[in-house]
Amino acid sequence: MAKKALITGITGQDGSYLAELLLGKGYEVNGIIRRASTFNTGRLEPIYSDPHAGDRQLFLHYGDLSDASALARLISKIQPDEVYNLAAQSHVRVSFDSPEYTTDITATGTVRLLEAIRETGIQPRFYQASSSEMYGLVQQVPQTETTPFYPRSPYGCAKVYSHWITVNYRESYGLHASNGILFNHESPRRGETFVTRKITRAVAHIKAGLQKKLYLGNLDAKRDWGYAKEYVEAMWLMLQQDKPDDYVIATNETHSVREFLEATFGQVGLDWKQYVEIDARYYRPAEVDLLIGDFSKAKQKLGWEPRTKFAELAKLMVEADVELLRKHREGEIRVVG
C-alpha cells in the first residue's frame, strides 16, 4: 500500500518540487492549499501536464495554518505517514511590515499542526522547514546544527520558535520530528519578489528591451545559495531515518548579491552596473550579512550533498526566465493574431 504524505505549502517552490519527488516514489500526496479567488497552483502544472499524471495520486485540500480545527480534521481524514510543514509567510522583508501575521502563520501555525497530530493519536513522521535566517547575526562561521541562533527579523524569530517547538514535541511526545535548517535555495519556481528570481526575471526583460532598470537593496549581503530541487531530497531523507534529528542543508559556499548580478547579467552579455540602482526601501531594518552552512552532518548521516553549484544555478535560472518570457510573448502574438 502506498505511503501517504501531507504537505503544507504545496503550491510554493519547495512544495511543488517535493510533491514531484514523492509522486515519483509512488506516494499518495495530499496538499493543503488556501482558498482564493484565483488559481494559485501554477507551480504544480508540471505534475498535471506529465503524461503519466493519471497514474499518480495527488489530492489538494482547502485549509490554513491559522485554522486548528480544519488541520485536525484533515489529519484525521488523511491519516498521513509523513507530514511536511513547508507553509509560512516566508518573505523576510515583508515580515517587518507584517510581524503579527508572520508570527501567527510561521510560528503559531507550526504548533497548531503539531497539536493536531498529537490530538489525533496517529504517529506520522514530521518535517519542519527551519531556516538559515535563524542564525541572523552569525555567531560562528560556517554555521552548523550547534551554532547559536540570533535572528534578525520577525521571520527569523518565528522560525526559531517553530524549530524549538518541533524539538520539544519530539522530546516530550516521542514524535519522529526533524528540522531541516535549509540555507537559501533557489530555482525557476522561486517567487518573483525574492532577490534571485527578481534578478533573473529582470535579466530576461532587460535583454528583451522590456525593462530599463532593476532596483535592489544591499548588494553586499552574502548568502549560501543552492538548488531547491535538490534540497527537497534532503527533506525526504530525514524522514527515512530510524531516529529524528536536525540537519543543516547548504552548499558551504557564500556569494554576495553583487556576485549573483555578475553571474546572471554576464549570462546574456550585459554589464549589470548599467542597469542596477539602489533603493533604500529594499534595505532591512536589521541586516543578515553572512550566511554559509556546513552540510557535513547531512552528508555523513543522510548521504546528501549539493550537486548544483552557484554559477550553474544562476545559469539555469536565467535560461528558464528567458524561455518563460519567450513563451509568454509568443502566446500574446498568437492571441492578437
Side-chain angles (χ1 to χ4, degrees):
M1 190 172 177
K3 277 187 177 180
K4 294 181 181 179
L6 175 63
I7 304 172
T8 71
I10 194 170
T11 58
Q13 169 188 251
D14 294 4
S16 63
Y17 280 125
L18 180 61
E20 287 180 347
L21 177 73
L22 297 179
L23 288 168
K25 293 181 181 297
Y27 279 64
E28 174 192 303
V29 175
N30 295 269
I32 297 179
I33 61 172
R34 287 178 295 175
R35 188 178 293 276
S37 58
T38 56
F39 291 113
N40 61 348
T41 55
R43 292 187 181 92
L44 299 175
E45 184 57 36
I47 295 173
Y48 292 115
S49 59
D50 187 319
H52 303 294
D55 305 327
R56 297 181 175 177
Q57 300 288 298
L58 174 62
F59 304 99
L60 302 180
H61 311 267
Y62 287 115
D64 197 298
L65 287 185
S66 65
D67 188 343
S69 59
L71 292 174
R73 284 194 302 272
L74 276 174
I75 288 170
S76 182
K77 173 186 174 184
I78 295 165
Q79 299 273 311
D81 299 290
E82 297 173 2
V83 176
Y84 296 85
N85 184 30
L86 310 185
Q89 189 303 99
S90 59
H91 198 286
V92 177
R93 183 63 191 83
V94 170
S95 77
F96 285 101
D97 300 324
S98 302
E100 186 177 342
Y101 174 74
T102 300
T103 303
D104 185 46
I105 300 303
T106 307
T108 313
T110 302
V111 80
R112 290 187 188 108
L113 188 56
L114 286 165
E115 269 296 279
I117 291 170
R118 189 177 72 83
E119 288 177 357
T120 57
I122 64 173
Q123 287 286 314
R125 297 188 171 193
F126 180 82
Y127 172 82
Q128 169 59 27
S130 287
S131 168
S132 59
E133 287 288 332
M134 300 188 305
Y135 295 118
L137 188 62
V138 297
Q139 305 297 293
Q140 178 185 340
V141 179
Q143 293 88 55
T144 71
E145 293 80 4
T146 58
T147 302
F149 299 138
Y150 196 137
R152 299 270 281 172
S153 66
Y155 170 75
C157 293
K159 281 294 187 182
V160 169
Y161 175 85
S162 287
H163 180 94
W164 282 116
I165 199 69
T166 298
V167 172
N168 186 264
Y169 271 65
R170 177 169 75 210
E171 296 177 351
S172 299
Y173 305 114
L175 186 65
H176 191 298
S178 296
N179 285 296
I181 308 173
L182 272 59
F183 281 63
N184 291 63
H185 45 291
E186 318 300 317
S187 77
R189 297 183 191 176
R190 188 60 141 151
E192 294 176 359
T193 60
F194 290 86
V195 67
T196 51
R197 184 71 198 292
K198 182 178 178 180
I199 290 170
T200 60
R201 184 179 181 277
V203 167
H205 282 71
I206 289 169
K207 183 65 176 178
L210 300 175
Q211 184 174 334
K212 293 181 178 179
K213 292 290 182 182
L214 170 61
Y215 296 92
L216 297 172
N218 182 12
L219 303 188
D220 296 316
K222 292 184 175 180
R223 295 291 183 268
D224 184 324
W225 277 306
Y227 185 23
K229 191 173 184 178
E230 296 170 1
Y231 280 39
V232 301
E233 296 170 10
M235 300 176 186
W236 177 77
L237 285 167
M238 288 178 211
L239 298 200
Q240 310 317 305
Q241 306 306 303
D242 291 336
K243 293 182 178 179
D245 207 342
D246 307 323
Y247 299 90
V248 163
I249 304 301
T251 70
N252 203 25
E253 291 183 11
T254 190
H255 297 275
S256 66
V257 175
R258 195 182 304 273
E259 287 176 80
F260 194 80
L261 286 168
E262 289 170 356
T264 51
F265 276 84
Q267 195 64 41
V268 296
L270 296 177
D271 178 2
W272 68 269
K273 297 183 186 70
Q274 296 180 20
Y275 304 97
V276 175
E277 293 190 9
I278 303 302
D279 188 330
R281 290 180 301 170
Y282 296 116
Y283 277 87
R284 301 177 184 178
E287 184 57 84
V288 174
D289 295 315
L290 170 64
L291 293 176
I292 177 170
D294 180 350
F295 64 90
S296 55
K297 179 179 175 180
K299 183 176 181 179
Q300 177 192 349
K301 294 197 171 185
L302 305 178
W304 181 92
E305 61 183 317
R307 301 183 298 276
T308 303
K309 299 297 185 176
F310 178 76
E312 189 182 348
L313 177 63
K315 181 175 184 287
L316 75 85
M317 288 183 67
V318 168
E319 289 177 346
D321 268 323
V322 168
E323 177 64 11
L324 183 66
L325 181 59
R326 183 191 66 79
K327 287 181 177 178
H328 179 68
R329 297 181 84 182
E330 287 186 356
E332 286 184 339
I333 290 168
R334 282 198 295 271
V335 170
V336 171

